[in-house]
Amino acid sequence: SVTALTCPLAAHSLADAAPVAIALHSLPTSAMASVQGDLPLPIKSHGEDRSLEQFPFSTLGTQPPSAEAQSLLRKSFTAAQAGLPSADALLTQSINEWQRTRQPADELAAIYKSRAIVRQQAGRLEDALADLSKSLALGQSSDATDPAEVQRTFALRAGVEQSLGKWKAAEEDLSAAIDRLDDLDALEATNPYLYAKRAAMRMRIADYAGAAEDTERAELDFRAIGDKIQRVLSAAEGALALYGA
């Protein structure tokens, strides 16, 4: 059975956060949890007690995480979606267990990403940045990772970098996210907010020509989705960028 929950965590775009729907599956012995949004619930395979760093994921065994570990992970994500203070510690326990039993890299990446969102909301931006970097490294190392999740993680990390005043790093991650828009479904692939955010970062680093191009693209996409206010704002930003250029 599936229980639908609503999670007011960071949205995939860099616009204002919107509620994210999470589907939590009941897990008998070994099962995959199907989840949508920024708090994926990874449940599956492998295990024998050896170091993650010393044992490549490609040579892992086939034992699933224990029922206790699966229960802990469900509890972790429930706490995260509810905004409970215990979420960080519970997700940390799950990360440790998934590392200890050498679970797949894409699952571990998902848990790191979820803890990053919790830490970002708590104002622990450097810790959130470290978790998102770890999530990207793990996710990109696994063929099992959904390319769309990699795209969304780049966008999330850019938001954290922006909050930290790391303009160049944010611009680079936004570029990586934009380059991967084709990995998303057609509706989500139209994301003028990413272009608007990158334009702002390019203004910060004095790339006025690049910023002008981004504001023009954002203006066109906002027009396409019928957002008149954002379209006008993008046009104004574009005028400033052209003035700077």
Side-chain angles (χ1 to χ4, degrees):
S1 63
V2 179
T3 303
L5 301 176
T6 300
C7 179
L9 297 179
H12 293 322
S13 75
L14 293 181
D16 292 337
V20 177
I22 301 175
L24 298 181
H25 280 227
S26 59
L27 300 168
T29 51
S30 175
M32 278 290 290
S34 173
V35 177
Q36 299 173 341
D38 283 318
L39 288 180
L41 178 58
I43 298 289
K44 60 181 184 195
S45 55
H46 314 322
E48 175 190 339
D49 191 4
R50 289 176 61 181
S51 167
L52 176 67
E53 291 75 19
Q54 297 174 2
F55 205 125
F57 281 103
S58 60
T59 61
L60 295 178
T62 57
Q63 294 300 313
S66 67
E68 181 181 0
Q70 294 183 25
S71 176
L72 172 63
L73 190 58
R74 282 196 299 270
K75 186 177 180 181
S76 300
F77 281 99
T78 300
Q81 71 89 30
L84 299 179
S86 60
D88 189 288
L90 291 169
L91 286 165
T92 299
Q93 290 179 51
S94 289
I95 286 171
N96 292 338
E97 180 64 13
W98 252 243
Q99 289 178 327
R100 185 186 71 81
T101 55
R102 303 175 343 278
Q103 300 304 315
D106 60 314
E107 296 181 7
L108 190 54
I111 308 175
Y112 268 109
K113 179 181 176 182
S114 299
R115 190 176 70 174
I117 294 170
V118 169
R119 290 181 167 183
Q120 180 185 17
Q121 291 187 319
R124 296 172 57 184
L125 297 181
E126 291 288 357
D127 290 335
L129 181 60
D131 276 356
L132 288 169
S133 296
K134 184 69 173 177
S135 178
L136 279 170
L138 287 164
Q140 292 183 293
S141 74
S142 172
D143 292 337
T145 302
D146 180 355
E149 285 305 309
V150 174
Q151 189 275 342
R152 292 164 185 149
T153 306
F154 271 116
L156 283 170
R157 191 171 70 172
V160 174
E161 288 162 340
Q162 179 181 356
S163 296
L164 288 168
K166 299 178 184 288
W167 317 125
K168 181 59 177 175
E171 189 272 341
E172 291 173 352
D173 276 354
L174 286 165
S175 294
I178 288 170
D179 289 344
R180 290 168 171 79
L181 280 173
D182 288 342
D183 293 333
L184 306 178
D185 59 41
L187 181 62
E188 197 176 354
T190 302
N191 192 335
Y193 291 100
L194 288 178
Y195 288 97
K197 288 289 184 180
R198 189 173 68 175
M201 294 304 96
R202 286 180 166 178
M203 290 283 283
R204 289 281 190 175
I205 61 175
D207 179 6
Y208 300 113
E213 291 177 3
D214 279 348
T215 55
E216 182 179 0
R217 174 60 185 269
E219 182 184 357
L220 290 172
D221 285 353
F222 280 127
R223 176 180 295 174
I225 65 175
D227 192 329
K228 183 176 180 179
I229 293 176
Q230 290 297 331
R231 178 176 64 81
V232 171
L233 290 174
S234 291
E237 290 295 327
L240 288 174
L242 287 172
Y243 180 79

